[in-house]
Each structure stands twice: as C-alpha cells, then as structure tokens.
Amino acid sequence: MRSDSPKTPYRGGRVSARLDVGVFPFYKFEGANARDNGPYYVQLADQNEGTDLAKLNFYQGGQALPTLVPGGTRGVRARQRMGRNPRGPASTYYEVVGTHFDFLEVETPVSGQLSAPATGLLVPRWQVVSPGAQRYTFAVDFGTTNTHVAFATADRPEPQPFRIGTEREMEVVMLNRPLPSSDFVLPKRYGPDSFGMMPLADTVRNREFVPAFIGIEGAESAFPIRTATCESPAFISEGNPLLFGSINIGFYLSRDGFLYNHPEDGRYRTNLKWNTEGGERAAGVERIRAYIRELLLLIKHKVALNEGDVRATQVVWSRPLSMKTVARRDFHDIWYQEFERVFGEEPGQRLADLSESWAPYLYLTDRHTDGGIVPSERDNVVNIDIGGGTTDVLLLRGKKPEATLSFRFAGDVLWGDGAFGGARQQNGLLYYYVARTANKPVSQEAAAAREVVRAALESKASSADVVSLLFNFDKQLEFSRELRSARQLRIVLLLHYAAVVYHVGQVCQARQLAVPRHLCFSGKGSTYLRMLDLDPQLGTLTEIGKLILEFASGQPAPSDFRLTLVSQPKEATANGSVLWKQAGGDAAQAKAPAEFVLPGVLPADAPAGPPQAFTLAEAESDTIEDEVIANARRLVRFITHDSAEIRGLLDELNVEIDPDFVYNFLDGKLKDSLRAGLNSLRDSGTNADDRLPETLFFFPFRDALFQLGRELFKRYYASQTH
C-alpha cells in the first residue's frame, strides 16, 4: 500500500490521503507467549490539507480497544506531537498496551459535502515469533556525552555493538515501498525516495520515532550515540509524557541541522545524566526514564526477532560513583521500573549494575580484547575512565582492588563553556577550529556535515554540543587534525592530562601504593590523548605520565611503566559489563571497593589521620582554599618551569608555551574557579556540614583551563581571523 493510496468513504466515492503509518515493534507472540506482546507504538504522519487531522482506531478480537485510563493495563493512549505546518507532516503517536491489535482503522476528514470522514482498514502482516533458545546479554553505558550498548550471546560471547542490520529485524515498518535491492544498500532502500509523495515522512521517522536500521553501512545512526533526547515544544508543560508522542532518543541529532533553527518543531536536549537536581528535577527524571525505556524496547525487539528468549535476557547498566545519593537512587528505580514495564515481569537477577570504574578494567584484562593487560600480583594497575562529565578511577594493588575515585573533571572541562555557565560558544579550542576552517573548501560529503555544524553554531548550541558534532564528523571535517596545529593552545590538553595523573599519584602516596606499572585510559573523553600525542604509541605521554606520577607520589616508577589507551575507548565500559555478566556476575566485583576521596590539599597540609573529604563549610574556609590552590599551583609550576624533562618533551607534542604567561594567568584564575565550584555545590543543595562527594583538587582547574584556552586564542590567533 502506498502513502497516497485511495480510500473509500462509507457514503461512496474515492478520496486520496497523504498519510503514512509506522509500527514499532513489528512482531507478535501467540498462545501462552502472548503475554510478551507490547507495548506497541504507532506513528501516524499526516500531510493532508485542512484543519482536522486523521486518526487511528485499533481493534483486537473484533472489538475496538478502549482508551487507556490512568492505572489501566489494556488499551490505547494517543498524543499529537506536530500540527499542520509548511515544513513537513503533522504527527500523532499511539501507545497500545496489554495486547497486540489485529487491524487498525484509518479515519481521515474529507472536504466537500460529506459529513462523515473517509475510513479504511490496515491489517498488519505481523512477524509471528516464538521464544528461542538463544540467550542474550546486553550492557548499557549511559554517559554524559555518549551512550553505548553492547551485547553478546551464549554462542558468540565476544561483546559487539548493538546493531539492526537485516530486513527481518527492521525496527519500524511503514507503508513505504523499498527501492530495488540490487541498486542500493539496505538503509537507502527504505530512505526518503521510498516514501513516494511523502519524502519528509522519512525525516519525521528519524527525528521523532525510531530509525529503521542502526550500525550498518548507509544507516543514519550507530552506537555509541549522543546521549540526547528529541522533545516536543510542549514536553515540560503537558505533563505525563508519552514516549514518541512527547519525547524520544535523539538518534537523528547529528543529521538534523534543520531542527536547530526551528525550535517551534522541537529541540534536542543533552546533559541528561546530571540534570536531575534543582528546579528541573521532575523533567530531568522523565527524560532519563524515556531514554532508558526506548533502549529497553530496542533490546527486546532485537531478541524477539533473532531467535532469542526475551524472558532470559540479561541487562547490565553502568553505575556512576560521584552522583548524589538521591540521583543514584533515581537511576536505580528507573532501570527496575522500566525493565518490568518492557519485559512484563520483575527483573530479579536479570538486571544488574556494575561500577563505571570496574567495567573498563574487566575489558582491558580480558585475553580476547586489545587491552593487553595481564593481571599480576606484583604489578599495580590504574584505570582512568574519562567521560564527558566525570572521570572514574580504579586502583588495584596487584590483582586486588584498592580504591575507586570519581570526580567532575572530564571531557566537558576541555570542550565546554566554563564552570560559570556564561555565554555559549566561548571555548578557545572551538574558536580556533571555526576560525581556521570557516572558508575552507570541502568535499560534498563534508559539506553536508558542515551544514549541520553551522546550524548548531547559529542556534547558539553549547560548545560541548558543537564539539560533539565535530568529533562525530571527524573523518569529514578533520577536527582532530586541525587541533594538532594549535601549537599555543595545546597546553590546555596537556594540563588536563597532567592534573588527572598528578591526582592519581597523590592518591597512590596516600594509600601507600607503589606507582603502578600500568596506567590505562578508557572512555570517550580520553580520545583527546591521541590528538595530543603525535606518536601513535603515545610514547611522549607515557614519559610525561611517568614523570608526573613520580613527582606527585615521591616514588620511582617501574622501569617497564606502560600507558594504554584502548582502540575504542567509549566501548570499554559496556564491553566489560557484558564480559562480567557472561562470566556469572561476580557479586564482589559488583560492589567494588569503597570510594576514596582525597581532600585535595598538599600531603603535608592534610589533617592528621586517614584522609577524608572536607565538609562544605571546611572547604570554604580561607585556610583550606589557600592549601588547595597551593597544591594546584605546585602542579602548574612543575609543568611550566620546574621539570626540564617535560619542557624538553613539549616539542614532541607540538606544544609551545610562554611559561611565565601561562603560570601567571592560571595563578590569577585558580581561586575564582575554586569558588565557582563551591558555589555550584551550594546551589545544588549541598549543606554546610555535608562531606563533599569528590576531591577539591580539580575545582581550581575547572574554569581556569577554560579561561586559559580563551585567552590563548585571543593572544595568538584572533588577529589572524580578521
């Protein structure tokens, strides 16, 4: 059936309607297994003329399905998302719960003398499925910037990215007619040209619903994906959001330049993970709930259509350490509630969580991966997982976990707009790239990518969001390559790396832990290390890391000290979680060692007794402020002046600095940056006698590095752009 197929009204005659209908998921269990059906989501795209919109009525067993009432377990719920507009079809979404449906009735208004609407029937040719023998394990790494989903089966235990790559498992079935199979790759066969007179129905599907394919050649999306939602303009005000009718995963964000400049059609929302505090708590929780529900629906869909047993499917989610207790409880409750909603029963042992610090290490030490770490009782190991918002660290004394750390000093410090949350697009590294490439000729493929980035820039998206797009299009737009030439700006990247390694060294000293033989990095935020070190083997950063660890800990590093960065850093956490669950899910590893918080002052200035975090009131005292800043200043001085070995290696990183300028500029910004961090804690509800959830050491750097990057751009490059 085509999108513009004729319909016959009850009173005779013929009408044409420009409509399309999409159904997700497109399978049905029968008999005793029918309990695993649903929920189903149906999209109605309407590109007719006139005021009134078409609508759908659902039938099962010859009876119309009722409207779903609050607290009900069977029926249909509907919500219009987009009204008539000149930019594309109107859209309405339906949720069918508690049952499948045998057919649906399309009801569309007609012009002229007919008072009754025209109606027609659509009968889905369901894929009938039965529980299979294959057992699936999935892991979800829900990050600040990106989300990755990995899976494995009993027959194929190696973790692999989630993908939808065949017609049988196509996620959403619509009324479009696929193009010839011999002429196009699979996603293109079901792309805009397959929709006849409604090519924009493809955009609506990708923006508001679910993509047909994921992770194969020609597909618009592949994991890892941006951690973002796409929301209707009324999402917050309307209340009781409907998945797809109000909000959905923003799969199309990196392709949808049009929406950046048309907020009346909706918006993409990022920074979901840390947006559950303060005045937006309720909306923040609903965003996370919708995101997780859709992921679980995709997981169930893949299992059902690939001879899997949905009742035996296991899911592991990565547990963040540095969240407040309330936010962490929100995540736990959402995962358990949504698992039960999607899979129809309490999760029991099928749903588990694993610390974000543990999971990457399990991947790095698996003999089938490229981590290359062989655990030994004689060698200490540190894994540093840098995300967008947090860095999580695991220290091991030999094979035994020693401590975990978590702090808000990660990718957004490099690519964001500073700790004060001021004007957007002020990042010096972003300034540099935009100034260098604004008029640079590019290929046709790169031109399409650049238009999306330009739309984001024009809409005043945050620096972090624009940079995320640039990393996504790195192959086409060469963001990493351009920044390798930013000789005077690259000190910002080096100082970020140095601060993380320095703090790890001080933790080793506090724990009486010898300098580790293995310094390992994972997480999407760690990819800047390959941008910083021009040596593919990271030899220069290895030597600098060794020098900083020795300086911070007061101990010599092993002669065979190694730095390891996995080839796909973002995938390490989810892959490690899959391997852990496949191996039986060791309960001791799930608990992980206790989190350790070093105060952040110089070791000689630390209070007597075991190290512990300061309270907010203590941290705001002049004495503690001065001691924290002295510790930060000590590191900066070591990099800019005191270490002849490091200064001798800067040229290998293509880093050039004026030591006095960098040191003096940062020295003037450290205190304001520290105080901005403390103010943000108060604003988020931290009480004066609450112990801080993380070290104070990074607070002086959070805004100071941003300010340094902006100042270095003005000092060395701004005049070149005029």
Side-chain angles (χ1 to χ4, degrees):
M1 181 181 293
R2 295 184 62 83
S3 304
D4 55 346
S5 60
K7 308 288 188 295
T8 303
Y10 292 131
R11 298 188 180 184
R14 289 169 60 87
V15 297
S16 292
R18 297 178 69 188
L19 305 170
D20 211 320
V21 175
V23 180
F24 164 73
F26 202 77
Y27 62 78
K28 180 181 73 171
F29 288 95
E30 293 185 329
N33 299 308
R35 61 180 182 168
D36 291 325
N37 286 328
Y40 294 95
Y41 294 89
V42 181
Q43 177 199 67
L44 174 60
D46 181 345
Q47 205 166 338
N48 289 318
E49 297 179 353
T51 304
D52 297 330
L53 298 180
K55 68 177 184 177
L56 302 177
N57 302 304
F58 295 80
Y59 292 81
Q60 198 274 325
Q63 300 294 318
L65 291 177
T67 299
L68 187 67
V69 299
T73 59
R74 186 175 184 272
V76 181
R77 183 180 168 208
R79 179 156 297 170
Q80 179 184 328
R81 180 158 177 169
M82 281 294 299
R84 295 237 185 269
N85 68 88
R87 298 172 299 279
S91 59
T92 304
Y93 292 86
Y94 298 81
E95 180 185 43
V96 181
V97 300
T99 181
H100 72 288
F101 56 93
D102 294 327
F103 63 90
L104 55 83
E105 180 184 53
V106 183
E107 186 177 304
T108 183
V110 293
S111 58
Q113 301 300 314
L114 296 174
S115 59
T119 60
L121 301 181
L122 287 175
V123 181
R125 189 179 296 171
W126 296 111
Q127 290 196 62
V128 179
V129 294
S130 301
Q134 192 65 266
R135 291 176 176 261
Y136 280 79
T137 299
F138 292 83
V140 179
D141 177 17
F142 180 83
T144 303
T145 305
N146 294 280
T147 293
H148 186 59
V149 179
F151 76 98
T153 65
D155 291 345
R156 188 177 175 184
E158 300 83 11
Q160 53 189 302
F162 182 97
R163 63 172 57 87
I164 298 293
T166 67
E167 281 185 290
R168 172 175 169 75
E169 62 177 358
M170 186 167 57
E171 287 186 319
V172 57
V173 173
M174 303 187 74
L175 300 182
N176 53 328
R177 178 180 294 168
L179 304 178
S181 59
S182 59
D183 297 339
F184 302 94
V185 295
L186 190 56
K188 298 302 181 186
R189 292 182 58 215
Y190 288 87
D193 292 341
S194 71
F195 284 87
M197 296 177 64
M198 286 185 65
L200 289 177
D202 180 69
T203 300
V204 176
R205 174 187 63 186
N206 289 326
R207 178 187 294 161
E208 299 179 357
F209 207 23
V210 286
F213 303 97
I214 295 175
I216 62 171
E217 181 186 358
E220 300 283 5
S221 304
F223 282 97
I225 61 170
R226 189 76 163 95
T227 304
T229 54
C230 183
E231 303 172 4
S232 71
F235 162 68
I236 294 178
S237 61
E238 65 190 357
N240 192 22
L242 176 66
L243 183 61
F244 305 118
S246 310
I247 184 172
N248 56 284
I249 293 176
F251 278 106
Y252 203 46
L253 179 149
S254 63
R255 300 288 188 271
D256 199 3
F258 184 85
L259 195 62
Y260 282 105
N261 294 316
H262 289 277
E264 67 273 23
D265 290 354
R267 61 169 294 188
Y268 290 103
R269 181 66 179 250
T270 57
N271 196 30
L272 309 184
K273 189 172 182 177
W274 301 98
N275 200 17
T276 60
E277 300 172 352
E280 285 205 9
R281 171 176 158 74
V285 168
E286 289 302 328
R287 289 186 178 101
I288 294 171
R289 183 179 299 281
Y291 197 99
I292 290 173
R293 183 184 304 166
E294 187 172 343
L295 285 179
L296 289 171
L297 287 165
L298 298 179
I299 286 170
K300 182 181 178 183
H301 168 275
K302 184 169 183 69
V303 173
L305 291 176
N306 285 278
E307 300 179 348
D309 185 352
V310 297
R311 294 270 165 173
T313 300
Q314 302 182 113
V315 178
V316 185
W317 59 280
S318 302
R319 182 180 73 250
L321 290 175
S322 56
M323 276 186 170
K324 289 185 176 180
T325 302
V326 172
R328 204 177 301 178
R329 188 181 301 121
D330 284 338
F331 267 84
H332 179 276
D333 292 348
I334 289 170
W335 273 107
Y336 274 74
Q337 291 162 5
E338 294 306 318
F339 189 100
E340 182 174 0
R341 179 182 185 129
V342 171
F343 286 92
E345 61 182 5
E346 293 185 1
Q349 299 300 311
R350 294 166 54 201
L351 180 64
D353 57 276
L354 186 64
S355 162
E356 289 180 349
S357 62
W358 245 119
Y361 171 75
L362 299 178
Y363 176 73
L364 287 163
T365 55
D366 186 89
R367 61 189 179 89
H368 298 295
T369 71
D370 66 346
I373 307 300
V374 180
S376 166
E377 295 291 354
R378 297 187 299 274
D379 298 328
N380 295 337
V381 179
V382 173
N383 185 73
I384 301 170
D385 189 69
I386 304 178
T390 61
T391 294
D392 293 286
V393 181
L394 174 68
L395 295 92
L396 293 103
R397 189 187 299 271
K399 295 182 179 181
K400 182 180 178 182
E402 174 73 16
T404 58
L405 325 171
S406 186
F407 38 85
R408 298 284 296 271
F409 186 78
D412 280 356
V413 172
L414 288 174
W415 312 116
D417 290 310
F420 290 109
R424 293 187 164 197
Q425 297 179 12
Q426 299 291 306
N427 186 282
L429 294 163
L430 178 60
Y431 271 154
Y432 175 86
Y433 174 81
V434 172
R436 290 261 298 188
T437 61
N439 300 310
K440 181 179 178 180
V442 295
S443 67
Q444 183 176 355
E445 181 185 11
R450 187 156 71 178
E451 284 306 308
V452 176
V453 173
R454 280 180 174 170
L457 288 167
E458 290 169 2
S459 71
K460 291 300 179 183
S462 70
S463 291
D465 285 345
V466 177
V467 169
S468 179
L469 286 172
L470 289 170
F471 274 122
N472 187 72
F473 293 122
D474 203 27
K475 181 179 178 181
Q476 297 92 340
L477 299 180
E478 299 183 329
F479 179 63
S480 298
R481 182 177 178 180
E482 290 290 343
L483 289 193
R484 290 191 179 100
S485 302
R487 190 169 173 83
Q488 284 81 12
L489 266 170
R490 289 164 60 80
I491 185 62
V492 176
L493 304 178
L494 177 58
L495 286 168
H496 189 282
Y497 168 74
V500 173
V501 175
Y502 178 81
H503 183 66
V504 168
Q506 290 197 325
V507 171
C508 289
Q509 182 186 39
R511 303 287 299 195
Q512 298 182 339
L513 188 71
V515 172
R517 179 190 172 203
H518 295 285
L519 182 66
C520 309
F521 285 87
S522 59
K524 185 70 173 179
S526 68
T527 55
Y528 80 88
L529 299 181
R530 295 201 187 280
M531 185 188 301
L532 177 58
D533 198 333
L534 306 183
D535 175 5
Q537 304 303 315
L538 303 181
T540 306
L541 285 182
T542 299
E543 185 60 29
I544 290 175
K546 180 179 178 181
L547 292 168
I548 294 172
L549 283 172
E550 291 178 335
F551 172 65
S553 68
Q555 307 174 76
S559 58
D560 55 353
F561 174 82
R562 287 179 52 191
L563 185 152
T564 299
L565 174 62
V566 294
S567 59
Q568 299 294 332
K570 176 58 185 176
E571 299 180 14
T573 299
N575 289 348
S577 297
V578 167
L579 293 169
W580 170 76
K581 192 64 174 175
Q582 290 277 87
D586 188 323
Q589 291 177 338
K591 292 180 180 178
E595 187 174 357
F596 179 74
V597 180
L598 198 65
V601 300
L602 284 164
D605 296 327
Q612 62 178 338
F614 293 118
T615 65
L616 181 56
E618 290 171 338
E620 291 177 326
S621 70
D622 290 342
T623 300
I624 298 303
E625 276 193 1
D626 291 344
E627 290 173 355
V628 171
I629 291 168
N631 196 17
R633 187 184 293 126
R634 177 176 182 251
L635 169 63
V636 176
R637 182 81 189 182
F638 180 70
I639 298 296
T640 59
H641 289 80
D642 294 345
S643 175
E645 294 95 332
I646 288 180
R647 292 203 312 275
L649 292 168
L650 293 183
D651 197 53
E652 298 296 319
L653 301 176
N654 197 30
V655 170
E656 180 180 326
I657 64 168
D658 177 336
D660 291 336
F661 172 77
V662 171
Y663 178 81
N664 291 330
F665 181 87
L666 286 175
D667 193 42
K669 299 294 182 182
L670 294 175
K671 180 173 286 189
D672 286 340
S673 181
L674 169 60
R675 288 179 174 173
L678 294 174
N679 289 340
S680 70
L681 289 176
R682 278 201 176 276
D683 293 343
S684 65
T686 303
N687 298 314
D689 57 351
D690 289 344
R691 293 213 173 269
L692 303 186
E694 59 180 298
T695 179
L696 282 174
F697 173 71
F698 295 103
F699 283 45
F701 289 106
R702 284 181 183 166
D703 196 68
L705 287 186
F706 162 75
Q707 297 291 346
L708 176 63
R710 191 166 65 167
E711 187 64 25
L712 290 173
F713 174 82
K714 293 177 182 177
R715 184 180 177 92
Y716 293 104
Y717 301 105
S719 62
Q720 302 174 19
T721 65
H722 300 297

